[in-house]
Amino acid sequence: MQANDPNYVQIFDTTLRDGEQSPGASMNVEEKIAIARQLEQLNVDVIEAGFAASSEGDFVSVRRVSEAVATPIVLSLARTKEADIERAIRAVERAKRPGIHIFIATSDIHLQHKLMMSRQEVIDAAAWAVGLAGKHLDYIEFSAEDASRSDPEYLVSVFAEVIRAGAVTLNVPDTTGYALPHQTSALFRYLIGATPGGHGVRWSAHCHNDLGMAVANSLAAVEAGARQVECTVNGLGERAGNAAMDEIVMALRTRRDFFGLETGIVTEQIYAASRLVSQITGIPIPINKPIVGENAFAHEAGIHQDGVLKNKITYEIMRPETVGVGSNRLVLGKHSGRHAFVDRLKELGIAAQGIDMNKAFARFKTLADKKKSVYDEDLMAIVAEEAVRVPDRFELTALSVTSSTDVQPSASLRLRIDGVERAAQATGDGIVDACYHAIAAATGTRCKLERYAVKAITSGTDAQGEVSCLVRDGSLTSTGQGAHTDIIVASALAFLNALNKLEYRRRYEDRARVTGP
Ligand code: KIV
Ligand code: ZN
């Protein structure tokens, strides 16, 4: 189905922009590229790659994402300011399908307390900005920030002017997550009907989840005529997050009988995308999250299990395979060769661009030696880690720990730092604490560990533990991930990964500033 078909709902992914505004979810450029490639595999229509004018790092990320993907439209966010618009246009200039997303607030609350502008000044600024962008780009989206708390009649005037100035997509954000579904559908119906030129443009919903209604509001907007939904992988986003892409896409697909609409999303890629974003940001997927949570397809009650065994449709409205959830299948063993490994990745639809297959395969072999059964989830974890690997300044070469009920836990380790071996030893409240102190002693870091989480990738006592952590050094934060069958080693790897990423970021951003465009 074509994007201009009236029954097609365009999916606009803002994981890299609004998603990154989630506390502790900042990503480096390599991570953003890995996610953008996965979004392309999902076949999203639009990727909002960042806010180019907000920092040098964001500018570089938007530019690199623009070069990395071919099929989706790539946008940068911009305020109605000349410098923002120029920067955004520059950042997307190498995209195959470039665009810009211009926004200004329209609620009286924002006009009076934030912008200090009159209603007419906002209309003028919006139309001027869209007109300026239109001299360089065809694809212009305009957003009326805080639309759900704006005067609907005033919104009609704003939208009419930006349509005249050249905007092709009009976004009606529920910025504060305040709207109720029946209000959202009424607002969309009114705006589409009353705005001059409103039938010739695409209307878009952008809902936040402060009251847990982002998905319901997005679907209400679609029911009322919106043909774009802005969403994020795992519902990541500012405060309580944005509408979750997987939930919207699967609601539209599962209830096609009601909506009669299509998206272009390759749903089998949903689970891989969810895992990748969780692994990169270190933000876990709640166990009971719809679609991609661990329990989403688990039937516990005997009566349910009995029904499902007799016929799955008794309690299952979707098949796990449809969203790419594997059945913990034993895929490969230690005798499997490189071909089998690469073929399985292909079957899983995992994008191999940007991954050093030699390294990924070597890691698989090491894992297969330690672990009897290697599952799809293990492969996804290996590939996701390799996809975002930055050059390691700090490498773990040896680790030994002691712990008992009677003595204080201690850790001794050896690191290779810039090619030189260094040893350190430390004690702590627990073994993980001792490890972190030993790493701090060897590297000289003063970073604070702000978040630490461990989870098993698959079931069984030989499962790999996946550790993710968030470290802070002044205003810079970085997440780190480590997977290993020994969770203490996984913890050390996660901490070192976070430190390596911090180093990379400092160096990369410095370089970007010096050689910047
Ligand atoms: O929530 C919001 O209003 C936004 C806009 C910039 C679209 O993120
Ligand atoms: Zn938002």
Side-chain angles (χ1 to χ4, degrees):
M1 189 179 273
Q2 295 292 309
N4 53 7
D5 188 300
N7 293 331
Y8 185 85
V9 180
Q10 191 161 284
I11 297 297
F12 173 119
D13 184 275
T14 182
T15 307
L16 301 180
R17 199 278 297 170
D18 219 327
E20 203 200 18
Q21 287 172 221
S22 209
S26 68
M27 305 166 217
N28 67 35
V29 65
E30 307 302 335
E31 293 169 332
K32 288 185 179 173
I33 290 169
I35 291 176
R37 289 197 168 123
Q38 179 60 39
L39 293 173
E40 189 170 37
Q41 298 268 111
L42 269 167
N43 201 29
V44 303
D45 302 277
V46 184
I47 294 179
E48 183 165 48
F51 183 178
S54 71
S55 70
E56 192 59 35
D58 250 50
F59 177 85
V60 173
S61 300
V62 176
R63 180 164 264 225
R64 298 271 316 273
V65 167
S66 299
E67 293 165 340
V69 298
T71 45
I73 296 171
V74 179
L75 302 177
S76 167
L77 186 67
R79 289 166 295 187
T80 55
K81 292 177 190 300
E82 192 168 354
D84 273 36
I85 292 166
E86 280 172 0
R87 204 81 180 125
I89 292 171
R90 207 67 208 281
V92 297
E93 69 191 357
R94 295 183 191 158
K96 293 245 166 17
R97 302 178 67 202
I100 188 167
H101 177 191
I102 297 172
F103 79 102
I104 189 165
T106 50
S107 67
D108 288 333
I109 302 174
H110 279 237
L111 265 60
Q112 282 162 27
H113 301 288
K114 186 181 87 175
L115 297 176
M116 323 294 177
M117 286 167 82
S118 70
R119 285 184 170 197
Q120 189 55 49
E121 282 170 338
V122 165
I123 293 182
D124 293 344
W128 172 84
V130 170
L132 174 63
K135 292 186 183 144
H136 308 270
L137 289 169
D138 294 330
Y139 193 89
I140 303 172
E141 167 167 330
F142 172 79
S143 280
E145 191 190 9
D146 206 18
S148 57
R149 294 192 302 163
S150 304
D151 170 6
E153 281 180 25
Y154 174 58
L155 277 179
V156 165
S157 317
V158 177
F159 285 139
E161 284 305 318
V162 294
I163 291 174
R164 253 195 292 276
V168 295
T169 300
L170 299 186
N171 186 35
V172 185
D174 181 24
T175 305
T176 55
Y178 178 74
L180 301 173
H182 73 280
Q183 295 173 329
T184 303
S185 47
L187 179 62
F188 272 84
R189 267 197 197 96
Y190 169 69
L191 292 174
I192 296 170
T195 305
H199 288 289
V201 292
R202 184 179 295 275
W203 291 86
S204 167
H206 174 112
C207 303
H208 280 269
N209 206 27
D210 300 65
L211 294 173
M213 281 182 279
V215 170
N217 280 323
S218 304
L219 294 173
V222 166
E223 201 197 333
R227 287 295 176 267
Q228 174 174 284
V229 176
E230 303 197 354
C231 45
T232 58
V233 175
N234 297 338
L236 212 63
E238 185 82 39
R239 306 180 309 278
N242 289 62
M245 177 206 288
D246 51 302
E247 295 173 31
I248 287 164
V249 168
M250 289 314 289
L252 290 175
R253 180 179 164 137
T254 309
R255 297 308 311 272
R256 198 181 278 135
D257 60 317
F258 175 75
F259 290 104
L261 301 169
E262 302 281 341
T263 71
I265 294 297
V266 178
T267 58
E268 290 74 13
Q269 289 290 331
I270 285 178
Y271 186 61
S274 167
R275 276 209 53 102
L276 180 68
V277 169
S278 171
Q279 186 162 355
I280 284 176
T281 58
I283 297 179
I285 304 161
I287 197 162
N288 62 340
K289 167 152 182 1
I291 320 293
V292 290
E294 208 173 309
N295 285 353
F297 295 97
H299 300 279
E300 181 69 16
I303 199 161
H304 286 207
Q305 287 175 349
D306 180 52
V308 170
L309 285 174
K310 286 179 176 140
N311 192 332
K312 288 188 166 49
I313 63 167
T314 50
Y315 288 100
E316 264 185 16
I317 57 164
M318 299 168 269
R319 302 287 307 120
E321 305 85 75
T322 314
V323 295
V325 172
S327 43
N328 267 1
R329 203 144 73 81
L330 166 65
V331 287
L332 299 166
K334 65 178 180 181
H335 301 298
S336 305
R338 196 186 149 98
H339 267 305
F341 174 74
V342 173
D343 281 354
R344 186 61 196 149
L345 293 182
K346 275 197 197 128
E347 273 168 42
L348 288 170
I350 291 173
Q353 297 128 294
I355 297 170
D356 183 336
M357 270 301 161
N358 291 334
K359 278 196 183 153
F361 182 62
R363 285 196 51 192
F364 157 70
K365 283 303 241 187
T366 312
L367 180 65
D369 271 342
K370 289 208 174 72
K371 197 171 180 288
K372 277 200 300 288
S373 322
V374 179
Y375 298 101
D376 288 344
E377 284 78 358
D378 292 313
L379 295 188
M380 288 182 186
I382 290 176
V383 173
E385 247 183 78
E386 287 304 321
V388 298
R389 185 155 294 288
V390 296
D392 285 346
R393 180 167 178 230
F394 309 119
E395 265 179 86
L396 183 69
T397 55
L399 171 65
S400 109
V401 292
T402 46
S403 173
S404 79
T405 46
D406 308 319
V407 292
Q408 198 183 16
S410 68
S412 32
L413 49 76
R414 276 205 309 280
L415 299 184
R416 191 174 300 121
I417 305 179
D418 296 328
V420 178
E421 289 270 334
R422 196 173 299 170
Q425 200 266 332
T427 54
D429 292 337
I431 323 177
V432 172
D433 191 41
C435 270
Y436 281 17
H437 282 135
I439 290 173
T443 59
T445 181
R446 304 173 82 95
C447 280
K448 285 212 168 66
L449 182 67
E450 290 204 339
R451 192 170 69 205
Y452 168 87
V454 57
K455 87 179 225 312
I457 292 179
T458 55
S459 54
T461 49
D462 69 346
Q464 285 195 91
E466 185 177 57
V467 173
S468 63
C469 65
L470 176 74
V471 299
R472 173 178 294 281
D473 187 5
S475 62
L476 272 188
T477 59
S478 169
T479 57
Q481 286 74 35
H484 200 272
T485 45
D486 180 331
I487 58 163
I488 306 305
V489 179
S491 303
L493 292 174
F495 193 35
L496 286 168
N497 181 235
L499 297 184
N500 280 322
K501 276 160 56 177
L502 264 188
E503 289 286 316
Y504 177 74
R505 198 157 163 188
R506 279 194 199 103
R507 272 192 245 169
Y508 188 85
E509 286 189 0
D510 280 354
R511 201 170 63 227
R513 240 185 293 278
V514 177
T515 61

